[in-house]
Amino acid sequence: MPRKAADPIRFAGIGVASGLGHGRAAFREGLFAGRNVFSELKREGREAPEGEQPFLGVEMPEPPAVLPPRVDRTATLTGRVAASVLAEAWEDAGLDAIAPERIGLVVGGSNLATRERALALVEYWEKRAFVRPRHGHMFLDTDLCGLCTAAFPIRGFAMTVGGASASGAVAIVEARNAIRSGRVDACIALGAMQDLGGHDLQALRALGAMGSDRFSDVPEKACRPMDADHDGFLYGEAAAALVLCRESVGLSKTYGTLLGAASIADGTRGPEPNHEGQIRAARMALAEAGLAAADIDHVNGHATGTPSGDDTELETYRALGLHHTRINATKSILGHGLAAAGAIETAAVLVQMAEGRLHPTRNLETPIDPGFKWVGVAPVEQKIGHALKFSFGFGGVNAALVIGAPEASR
C-alpha cells in the first residue's frame, strides 16, 4: 500500500500540444491510434547541410491564438505554444477558483528558442543598429514566465528550471516542492517547447544521438525506441502544462496523485547515460511513495531510441526488477520533445490511467530484450494503479516520478 500523505498532491489539469495537434482530445486519439506524424522537418531554419539527408522528426500545427495580437506578434513560437497549453490546463483545472497569490509557475527548459534566435542573427547581422528592442529579452527563458504571468493571474512565483531532456519532469518535482513547502496551493509545471534550429540538429546528429540515415526514405519507420533497429532519437515539437495542487484546495478534477518524485545528479557532464543514477532516482521516488517495484503496473520509459540510452535504461529495468510490468515508449509516437518530454509523457501516463489502456509503441517489432512485457504496435487494456515515469537529461540529470491512480491516495 502507498504511504498516505496528510494532504496529497494531485494532477488537476492538463494542456498539451504536439504533432498530434493541440488539445487533449487530439492527444488522446492520436496516442491510442499510434498515428504517424513523422516526416522531413520543414520549418525555416531547420535545413540540413548541403548534400546531407534532411532532418526527420515531428512538427506541430500552428498554435491557437491565446495572447493579445500585439503581444502575440512579439512572442516566439515557444512562447505562443506555452500560452496555448497553459490556457487549456488552466480551464481544465478551474484555477480561477484559487487566489492568484497562491498559484505558482515552473517552466521546464533552457535555451528554448535557438532556431528563431539563429534566424534573427542572420537577418540583422548586416544591420545590427536596427535590431528590435524586444530581442533584449524575448530569447531569455524567463520571457515565458513574463508572457504567462501577464496573460494569467499567477502571482505566487514564476521560475525556470533546466534539466535538458529531463526539464519537464524536473519542473514537476519543483512544482511539487513549492506546494509541499506551503509557498503556494497550486502550481503549473510547464514543459516548454524546445525550438531547435539546423545547427542544433546537425550537432545532435554528429554526436550520434539523433537518427536517422537508415530510414531517411521512410520517416514513419525511423523512430524505434527499444527496437533492435534503433539508430537515434527523432526530434518532436511538444509542450505540456500540468496543474498540481493540494487535495484540500477543492479543485474538482483529479487525473492522478504524485506519490513520489526524485531528481538527482550522477556526476556526468555530457550525453552519456548512467544506470546507477537512474536506479537511485527510481528507488528514491519509490521509497517516498512507500512502494516497491513489484507494485508498479506500468512503466513509461525515457526510451529515446539511441542505442546507448536504450541499453542503459534496460540495465536499470533489470536492476529494479521490472520484468512483470507493462512498458511503452511515448517518444515512438511524439518524437523526442527534449525540454517538454518529461511533462508531455507524464500527461500520456495520466491519460492512459484514465482510459485503462496503454498506447502502442510504434515500430517496436524486434525488442532488444524480449524478456520484458512490452506494449507493441497495438494498444493494450491495462488498469493502472501505480505508474513509474523515467526522464533523463544530458549533464547527468535523472528524474523519476511515481504516479498513483486517483483512488491510490485515499
Side-chain angles (χ1 to χ4, degrees):
M1 290 293 290
R3 182 176 293 122
K4 290 188 178 180
D7 195 357
I9 294 172
R10 57 194 177 93
F11 294 95
I14 299 173
V16 287
S18 70
L20 297 173
H22 293 275
R24 293 185 304 280
F27 185 62
R28 181 183 294 108
E29 182 276 327
L31 275 181
F32 292 114
R35 182 156 60 86
N36 174 53
V37 287
F38 290 90
S39 64
E40 294 181 11
L41 298 178
K42 299 292 188 182
R43 282 202 200 278
E44 183 185 10
R46 291 187 181 150
E47 299 82 7
E50 187 175 350
E52 300 250 351
Q53 295 285 353
F55 298 117
L56 304 181
V58 178
E59 293 172 330
M60 68 174 67
E62 285 298 302
V66 171
L67 300 168
R70 181 179 61 82
V71 177
D72 191 87
R73 286 193 296 271
T74 64
T76 61
L77 175 60
T78 297
R80 291 186 288 120
V81 172
S84 171
V85 297
L86 177 51
E88 184 182 29
W90 188 283
E91 182 179 4
D92 189 35
L95 275 178
D96 286 334
I98 297 180
E101 296 77 13
R102 302 298 300 167
I103 302 173
L105 171 67
V106 182
V107 176
S110 55
N111 303 314
L112 293 164
T114 53
R115 180 186 65 89
E116 289 193 51
R117 190 171 188 178
L119 290 172
L121 181 65
V122 172
E123 181 180 358
Y124 289 100
W125 185 252
E126 300 294 339
K127 48 180 182 179
R128 275 168 276 180
F130 299 97
V131 169
R132 290 188 287 175
R134 288 282 184 188
H135 284 200
H137 68 82
M138 67 185 287
F139 297 118
L140 298 177
D141 301 330
T142 51
D143 194 53
L144 270 68
C145 296
L147 278 173
C148 291
T149 57
F152 299 88
I154 301 168
R155 299 295 181 269
F157 73 92
M159 61 184 281
T160 67
V161 294
S165 296
S167 294
V170 173
I172 293 170
V173 174
E174 292 305 318
R176 183 279 306 266
N177 291 345
I179 296 169
R180 179 181 282 176
S181 71
R183 191 176 181 186
V184 290
D185 294 322
C187 193
I188 302 113
L190 197 157
M193 179 189 144
Q194 189 117 34
D195 190 1
L196 296 186
H199 285 79
D200 309 302
L201 295 165
Q202 180 61 23
L204 289 166
R205 178 184 277 178
L207 190 64
M210 195 180 78
S212 160
D213 291 334
R214 188 183 308 171
F215 297 97
S216 58
D217 294 331
V218 279
E220 67 274 13
K221 293 286 187 182
C223 191
R224 312 182 72 87
M226 297 297 177
D227 187 79
D229 283 332
H230 60 179
D231 71 343
F233 78 78
L234 265 66
Y235 166 69
E237 292 181 345
L242 301 170
V243 177
L244 287 80
C245 69
R246 301 179 190 279
E247 190 168 85
S248 61
V249 301
L251 296 182
S252 61
K253 193 167 289 187
T254 301
Y255 287 99
T257 303
L258 186 58
L259 300 174
S263 174
I264 63 100
D266 64 33
T268 302
R269 179 192 174 195
E272 297 83 6
N274 181 293
H275 81 277
E276 292 177 355
Q278 297 173 9
I279 292 165
R280 185 157 62 93
R283 285 178 174 161
M284 288 172 65
L286 286 164
E288 182 185 351
L291 296 171
D295 298 311
I296 298 299
D297 307 304
H298 166 53
V299 170
N300 185 276
H302 184 63
T304 62
T306 62
S308 63
D310 286 356
D311 289 346
T312 302
E313 193 167 340
L314 284 171
E315 288 184 55
T316 297
Y317 295 173
R318 295 183 194 110
L320 292 170
L322 293 171
H323 291 85
H324 68 284
T325 190
R326 287 284 190 179
I327 307 173
N328 63 3
T330 302
K331 290 181 183 70
S332 71
I333 299 172
L334 304 181
H336 195 337
L338 302 176
I344 198 162
E345 291 166 16
T346 297
V349 170
L350 297 170
V351 167
Q352 292 174 102
M353 195 169 270
E355 293 280 328
R357 54 184 175 142
L358 301 174
H359 71 66
T361 302
R362 283 182 55 84
N363 298 320
L364 185 56
E365 296 166 351
T366 309
I368 305 167
D369 186 340
F372 289 95
K373 293 179 69 175
W374 301 106
V375 181
V377 296
V380 171
E381 299 295 318
Q382 173 75 49
K383 178 177 171 58
I384 306 170
H386 304 110
L388 177 60
K389 170 71 197 127
F390 286 105
S391 201
F392 315 129
F394 288 3
V397 183
N398 301 274
L401 309 174
V402 176
I403 301 166
E407 62 272 13
S409 64
R410 295 183 183 138

